[in-house]
Amino acid sequence: MHRTVKSFLQTLKFSVGYCRYYFNHNCDLRIALCSQIKPQEFQFTKCLGNSWNNTNSPGHTVPRRSFSCKDLLKSEQENWKVASARYMDTAERIKKKLKVMYNKYTFSMSSPAIRFGDCVYFEENGCIFRSKSDADEGSVEVLLSTEDLGFHDAIIQRIRISPDQKYMATSIKSSNSEESSCIVTKFEKLPMVEYIIPNVFSFEWATNDVLFYTSQKNLVCHKVLLATFTNRKYAELVYVEQDPRFFVDIYCTKDRRFLTINSNSKTSSEVWLVDCSNPFNSPILMQQRTKGVIYHVEHRNDELYILTTYGEPAEYKLMKTPVGSYGMENWQLVYTLKEKTKLIDLEMFRDHCVMFLKHYGHLYLNVISLVSHSVQSIKLPAWACAFESEPHPEYNASTCYFQLTSPVQPPKRFAYKLVENHLVEQEAPITINCHIVRLEAKSQDEILVPITVFYNANSKELHRKPLLVHVYGAYGIDLNMSFKAEKLMLIEDGWILAYCHVRGGGELGLSWHKDGCMHNKLKGLHDLKACIMLLHGLGFSQPKYTALTGSSAGGVLAGALCNADPDLIRAVVLQAPFVDVLNTMLDTDLPLTIEEQEEWGNPLADEKYMEYIKSYCPYHNIKPQAYPSVLITAYENDQRIPLIGLLRYVHKLRRAERDHARSMNKKGNLIPNIILNVQAGGSHCAPLWEDSLNEV
């Protein structure tokens, strides 16, 4: 619900999501909202912005065979009916078991709460509640209900309370779209919805009645506006970003002194400061964007604290400068992360800065005193694989609360006493009959690639057990290692789970990402192959019992491995996969293509990138050979992965498999299943709970 450095880091890597495409959708949340409540109309009066010139570049498109999307979709829907019917009984049995596990481990977890003054705000089952922090459990008031607004599948994304607690801004979206609207609720005798602002990504209150927000269109955020809600109700344009490689969002410093307008590409940042005491003054530029310099700003005691990549080594550092001395020539070093360390999140408190870190698979807290600049490093339990910090912690708090989790361990709450330097385990982890092993595979260039392995402690003859390999390897994003009930179910059923932390991801810091993007993408493929071969070599399963799974951009490496080394795996499970890199990066009409050139390269401007992307692109390297079985889940309203691209991919893959079968002309050859499951509605990798159970 609150935007920490964690979401800032994610925004830098992949804007508003993992992958990248645009696909027209029919569900418009704004229309649905406006059918319930008439929104206030705003007028725009002033703007400031930056300029960017785009030059025409050489290049050419790769011709694609023309297909009818409608005909292909109808054919795939018929194929899915036939294929899924064969597994109906098994699917229902697994679904029942999963529901029990979800009820036991997921629904029992309390919703995150936001403490604001003497009140606590929390969201549950599509409603937002408020209670006094010292009141009885029964004295809770409902502030907003998505059901009452007429939305039966709405998702509440973000909540912001005005400083005087008279207004609440809430973003709400449909599960069928990535576009959200901001609902402004006024608290009088009864909470009343007053305004709805469509197509909003991020927003923050500058004062009691002045809200800054970003406008989103086709997955792109380039405009910042402010709106007032009391005496003179209006909105005005504050900032416009002209460079399509950049994505704009808004953050409020923990002490509420400044709002920051953050314009980020994947390799550089620019921050404008808005003084919350004078929100109508023009924003002040902190530091002009500089290639290779990423930064994020906090404030404490008339000093700005900057989390940045500026200087050597090219990893994150904490720096500071007095208010008014904005340029990076004035920044003073406070702390530098050690090599191969991933910064997951950062929380600023009045006298302390808490960094959540990962170093070679192990999690740490580094607590920096902002008074003495001393650093305390606390190693966290070995079973933990992922953090989740408390949403919107109080600036003056003396305790930092967070949760630890793993794919097979439900989240457990911890507290770190900042003054006493003491870690308190508030809940004991549940007892899981599971071993965790951390390995390193030597890649083609001798680089060691981390692997995290989970398996049932009672399992014998591991080489006969099924193995599920996970991969992502893009945007500097870690593999998702949060708790999933289905992962625990697999462990109980004797499966082995392996997470391959290949280059292109962020598990070993910024350099790990840099070494796996642009002209280094093939290193991620080599890493994945080395990981699977090591697992088999150590007796963790064997190729005929091995499945590979990836989602979104993870489809690039998974699909590339299917083409290059299909004998290593028996099955592949992909969710909304990115499988046609080349044609996507050649189509600048897609909203994210220019922004993503810093991840994949620009084949329009450089023939070397054209050939390099072509060398690993899953779609362009399909050939007649024996492929593993493939199950792909796609979403009809996915704006990032166009359905037509996946239909073409599946069509080409089946044709290659048929050609191979004809050429072999041998009886008894196993013909793989290549199945596409197109989910009606749904947005990119974000199904509703019931739909997600069906997918699993």
Side-chain angles (χ1 to χ4, degrees):
M1 293 178 187
H2 91 302
R3 183 188 183 280
T4 62
V5 170
K6 183 176 183 178
S7 57
F8 153 74
L9 297 171
Q10 292 174 341
T11 299
L12 290 175
K13 305 304 180 195
F14 58 107
S15 294
V16 290
Y18 286 113
C19 209
R20 10 154 339 72
Y21 285 83
Y22 175 71
F23 186 67
N24 288 327
H25 57 89
N26 299 319
C27 177
D28 189 333
L29 179 63
R30 178 175 60 85
I31 294 175
L33 281 168
C34 292
S35 68
Q36 302 294 324
I37 306 166
K38 185 178 180 181
Q40 174 75 23
E41 294 183 357
F42 291 130
Q43 297 178 349
F44 306 127
T45 54
K46 69 175 184 179
C47 85
L48 61 93
N50 302 300
S51 61
W52 180 74
N53 295 319
N54 188 17
T55 57
N56 294 325
S57 304
H60 60 277
T61 59
V62 176
R64 289 188 282 188
R65 182 177 172 184
S66 177
F67 294 102
S68 164
C69 181
K70 186 177 180 180
D71 291 342
L72 285 176
L73 177 57
K74 184 177 180 180
S75 175
E76 290 303 330
Q77 289 170 333
E78 292 300 319
N79 287 337
W80 171 248
K81 286 180 182 178
V82 174
S84 60
R86 296 201 301 265
Y87 307 108
M88 190 73 70
D89 292 342
T90 302
E92 283 302 313
R93 187 168 64 252
I94 293 173
K95 185 177 176 182
K96 287 179 181 178
K97 188 173 181 179
L98 267 177
K99 280 189 174 182
V100 172
M101 299 194 78
Y102 268 85
N103 288 331
K104 182 177 180 181
Y105 297 119
T106 304
F107 289 162
S108 61
M109 294 185 292
S110 59
S111 301
I114 298 175
R115 293 185 178 274
F116 200 101
D118 61 349
C119 292
V120 176
Y121 297 80
F122 60 97
E123 181 267 333
E124 197 170 282
N125 297 328
C127 295
I128 300 175
F129 301 90
R130 178 173 64 180
S131 67
K132 295 291 184 181
S133 55
D134 57 352
D136 297 332
E137 290 187 9
S139 58
V140 174
E141 60 178 322
V142 180
L143 303 178
L144 182 73
S145 168
T146 58
E147 195 78 18
D148 290 347
L149 291 175
F151 309 113
H152 305 290
D153 65 345
I155 300 168
I156 294 173
Q157 293 184 299
R158 174 188 291 228
I159 301 170
R160 291 295 184 270
I161 310 299
S162 65
D164 61 1
Q165 299 193 64
K166 290 184 177 180
Y167 286 94
M168 177 178 70
T170 308
S171 59
I172 184 173
K173 67 180 284 295
S174 163
S175 61
N176 291 326
S177 171
E178 291 194 44
E179 296 177 357
S180 60
S181 293
C182 178
I183 301 175
V184 179
T185 306
K186 186 175 183 180
F187 301 145
E188 295 183 310
K189 291 182 179 179
L190 292 173
M192 296 290 295
V193 174
E194 287 211 339
Y195 304 96
I196 297 174
I197 312 173
N199 304 321
V200 173
F201 177 70
S202 61
F203 48 88
E204 296 285 354
W205 294 98
T207 65
N208 293 334
D209 71 328
V210 176
L211 183 75
F212 280 69
Y213 62 94
T214 57
S215 175
Q216 182 180 8
K217 184 179 181 181
N218 292 349
L219 307 179
V220 173
C221 268
H222 286 159
K223 294 181 180 179
V224 177
L225 304 96
L226 70 80
T228 63
F229 298 100
T230 51
N231 298 326
R232 189 163 64 97
K233 298 178 177 65
Y234 75 104
E236 64 181 41
L237 190 60
V238 175
Y239 176 90
V240 177
E241 175 58 63
Q242 303 292 341
D243 189 333
R245 297 172 301 170
F246 284 72
F247 185 92
V248 180
D249 73 350
I250 297 170
Y251 174 72
C252 183
T253 59
K254 293 292 291 295
D255 62 358
R256 303 199 61 85
R257 169 70 188 278
F258 291 102
L259 290 185
T260 62
I261 297 172
N262 310 293
S263 189
N264 302 304
S265 76
K266 290 175 174 57
T267 60
S268 58
S269 302
E270 187 169 272
V271 176
W272 296 75
L273 300 175
V274 175
D275 188 339
C276 288
S277 62
N278 295 288
F280 298 101
N281 290 352
S282 295
I284 300 170
L285 177 62
M286 175 77 184
Q287 164 61 47
Q288 188 174 11
R289 62 192 67 177
T290 303
K291 186 175 177 60
V293 177
I294 296 168
Y295 71 101
H296 169 80
V297 178
E298 262 292 354
H299 177 266
R300 170 188 176 270
N301 291 354
D302 288 328
E303 288 186 315
L304 296 168
Y305 282 81
I306 308 111
L307 181 68
T308 180
T309 59
Y310 172 58
E312 294 295 333
E315 295 289 348
Y316 280 110
K317 307 161 194 71
L318 185 65
M319 307 183 86
K320 69 175 183 176
T321 188
V323 172
S325 301
Y326 298 119
M328 60 187 179
E329 67 276 4
N330 300 304
W331 298 356
Q332 302 169 4
L333 182 65
V334 176
Y335 180 75
T336 302
L337 293 183
K338 62 182 179 181
E339 191 179 5
K340 303 296 184 185
T341 299
K342 167 66 182 264
L343 175 64
I344 299 173
D345 203 352
L346 178 148
E347 288 290 359
M348 289 286 291
F349 296 90
R350 183 184 60 207
D351 293 326
H352 295 86
C353 171
V354 179
M355 290 185 171
F356 298 82
L357 307 174
K358 179 185 288 185
H359 184 66
Y360 284 98
H362 292 282
L363 301 184
Y364 295 81
L365 288 184
N366 274 14
V367 182
I368 304 169
S369 168
L370 301 179
V371 178
S372 65
H373 289 180
S374 62
V375 180
Q376 298 287 343
S377 185
I378 301 95
K379 187 175 182 179
L380 297 168
W383 60 262
C385 298
F387 286 109
E388 189 60 50
S389 58
E390 180 187 49
H392 217 75
E394 293 182 278
Y395 178 64
N396 293 317
S398 59
T399 303
C400 176
Y401 295 98
F402 58 93
Q403 292 182 332
L404 296 179
T405 184
S406 84
V408 298
Q409 176 69 61
K412 294 301 170 186
R413 202 165 187 244
F414 286 74
Y416 181 78
K417 306 290 185 181
L418 296 170
V419 178
E420 297 90 339
N421 183 30
H422 181 54
L423 182 66
V424 178
E425 186 175 0
Q426 296 192 309
E427 300 171 292
I430 66 170
T431 302
I432 302 293
N433 198 25
C434 177
H435 283 323
I436 177 171
V437 179
R438 291 182 171 91
L439 305 171
E440 290 181 322
K442 186 177 290 187
S443 193
Q444 181 174 292
D445 57 1
E446 304 291 309
I447 294 296
L448 296 178
V449 182
I451 314 170
T452 309
V453 183
F454 302 87
Y455 63 94
N456 193 308
N458 294 328
S459 290
K460 301 184 188 312
E461 296 186 308
L462 290 174
H463 67 288
R464 296 182 182 274
K465 298 299 182 183
L467 167 65
L468 181 60
V469 178
H470 301 72
V471 70
Y472 188 70
Y475 304 110
I477 301 300
D478 297 5
L479 270 171
N480 184 357
M481 298 191 72
S482 298
F483 175 69
K484 300 287 184 183
E486 59 267 27
K487 307 300 183 187
L488 182 55
M489 183 192 72
L490 290 177
I491 291 292
E492 291 180 353
D493 287 347
W495 282 69
I496 304 165
L497 307 179
Y499 292 77
C500 301
H501 309 292
V502 303
R503 281 173 285 186
E507 285 88 343
L508 295 182
L510 296 175
S511 61
W512 197 247
H513 169 230
K514 186 176 181 181
D515 210 20
C517 69
M518 301 284 283
H519 60 278
N520 292 319
K521 273 294 172 186
L522 277 170
K523 291 182 179 179
L525 177 60
H526 299 152
D527 293 351
L528 177 58
K529 179 181 178 179
C531 290
I532 295 175
M533 292 182 68
L534 176 68
L535 289 165
H536 292 161
L538 293 176
F540 291 106
S541 196
Q542 50 189 296
K544 66 180 179 179
Y545 301 135
T546 298
L548 175 64
T549 183
S551 64
S552 196
V556 174
L557 296 184
L561 186 80
C562 285
N563 291 327
D565 294 282
D567 293 338
L568 286 177
I569 49 180
R570 179 70 177 275
V572 181
V573 179
L574 301 175
Q575 185 185 22
F578 183 24
V579 288
D580 191 357
V581 185
L582 184 57
N583 283 318
T584 300
M585 295 311 298
L586 289 170
D587 189 352
T588 56
D589 289 335
L590 297 171
L592 299 180
T593 293
I594 294 176
E595 176 187 329
E596 301 254 326
Q597 289 170 354
E598 294 175 312
E599 176 71 25
W600 308 96
N602 183 1
L604 289 167
D606 191 333
E607 190 71 27
K608 291 180 180 178
Y609 276 117
M610 172 81 73
E611 296 304 316
Y612 187 72
I613 294 173
K614 193 185 296 183
S615 72
Y616 68 80
C617 175
Y619 178 80
H620 285 89
N621 286 280
I622 294 174
K623 56 195 173 189
Q625 63 177 353
Y627 276 93
S629 291
V630 179
L631 170 62
I632 296 175
T633 302
Y635 304 97
E636 205 168 4
N637 291 334
D638 193 335
Q639 294 176 270
R640 299 171 184 275
I641 308 292
L643 186 56
I644 185 61
L646 289 175
L647 291 168
R648 289 192 185 107
Y649 175 79
V650 169
H651 180 84
K652 187 175 181 181
L653 196 60
R654 286 206 190 102
R655 189 176 61 204
E657 185 53 51
R658 287 196 300 269
D659 291 346
H660 171 70
R662 287 195 207 99
S663 67
M664 297 300 292
N665 197 24
K666 291 182 181 179
K667 292 184 178 180
N669 280 350
L670 290 175
I671 298 177
N673 288 316
I674 299 172
I675 302 171
L676 176 62
N677 173 18
V678 180
Q679 295 280 317
S683 57
H684 188 66
C685 292
L688 292 174
W689 178 74
E690 185 72 20
D691 294 334
S692 71
L693 280 182
N694 292 328
E695 285 184 21
V696 172

